[in-house]
Amino acid sequence: MSNRRTELKEQLSALPKNELVGIIVKLAAKKANYDFLLANYLDKDSGEKDLYEEARRDLDSLFIKRYKGFSEELQLANMLSACVKRINEFTAVSKNRKLEADLLLYVLEVPFSLPTIMFGTCFTQYDYRVGLLVRRLINLVVKKLHPDYLIEYKDKLNGYLTILHRTSEFHDFIYKLPQKID
């Protein structure tokens, strides 16, 4: 793989400027490539923040969309899956872990604003999806962000963990989550 990558770099560096511009313009026609160019090259100051705001707007529209599912819990689980997909698209372009954590927290506000009776039902996919989001946020905050950010997220995460352990601890996945974050 690295030989092919090295060979590609050599071939690209040998191309004239006008051909390189043509390649970039053609690649920028795809949204993901355009977003990458915007955030990393064209608008370094506010491009990433613009992409974050766009992702939040997209998440807002995903929150109100109707999803398939026999029960409200299954519909919410499908909504959470769609939200994770959108967050992954943002993360692939941005690489800003703080903004990723903010998006995860934004999505987690939805299930934790609903009555806690939604957890612990026979529709375990919902509990699992929420648990995945909580675990991903914990990993980001504890392992990938500066320790100072732990203060900002700790109370919310501990509240989420308390609710999950109280309502859904019979699921192995939830049981394996920490009781609280220090």
Side-chain angles (χ1 to χ4, degrees):
M1 179 72 175
S2 67
N3 288 340
R4 290 177 59 201
R5 185 168 289 187
T6 305
E7 187 178 312
L8 178 65
K9 285 181 182 181
E10 290 171 1
Q11 290 174 342
L12 286 174
S13 63
L15 290 175
K17 183 179 177 181
N18 62 343
E19 286 185 38
L20 286 174
V21 169
I23 291 170
I24 290 172
V25 168
K26 191 174 233 178
L27 288 174
K30 291 188 177 185
K31 182 171 177 13
N33 294 338
Y34 171 78
D35 290 346
F36 176 79
L37 289 171
L38 178 70
N40 295 300
Y41 296 102
L42 303 176
D43 190 4
K44 290 181 182 179
D45 296 334
S46 63
E48 198 168 58
K49 191 67 174 166
D50 292 343
L51 292 176
Y52 171 77
E53 292 301 326
E54 182 183 340
R56 277 188 64 135
R57 284 190 302 273
D58 291 346
L59 290 173
D60 287 336
S61 66
L62 290 174
F63 293 160
I64 59 174
K65 183 180 171 188
R66 300 269 307 149
Y67 293 90
K68 292 182 180 180
F70 178 72
S71 68
E72 188 176 359
E73 290 89 351
L74 292 176
Q75 293 169 2
L76 285 167
N78 289 331
M79 183 266 302
L80 292 174
S81 293
C83 291
V84 166
K85 183 178 177 183
R86 180 60 182 102
I87 291 171
N88 289 344
E89 290 170 3
F90 171 80
T91 305
V93 171
S94 170
K95 307 284 190 236
N96 185 324
R97 299 299 184 191
K98 169 69 170 99
L99 293 179
E100 178 186 356
D102 289 344
L103 287 175
L104 288 169
L105 196 61
Y106 188 64
V107 170
L108 281 168
E109 290 295 324
V110 173
F112 287 104
S113 67
L114 299 171
T116 57
I117 198 164
M118 301 279 290
F119 293 108
T121 65
C122 60
F123 303 105
T124 60
Q125 185 181 13
Y126 175 66
D127 299 50
Y128 178 71
R129 293 281 175 206
V130 173
L132 280 175
L133 283 170
V134 169
R135 184 181 72 181
R136 181 172 172 179
L137 183 58
I138 289 170
N139 285 337
L140 266 176
V141 171
V142 172
K143 296 179 182 174
K144 304 210 177 184
L145 289 177
H146 191 274
D148 291 344
Y149 287 117
L150 182 61
I151 296 166
E152 183 179 335
Y153 294 99
K154 184 168 81 168
D155 290 339
K156 284 269 191 196
L157 280 171
N158 285 336
Y160 296 161
L161 288 169
T162 300
I163 291 170
L164 286 174
H165 283 293
R166 187 181 73 234
T167 59
S168 306
E169 193 165 82
F170 57 89
H171 297 293
D172 287 343
F173 183 78
I174 303 297
Y175 181 79
K176 292 177 184 174
L177 289 174
Q179 292 293 322
K180 69 179 201 167
I181 304 298
D182 293 324

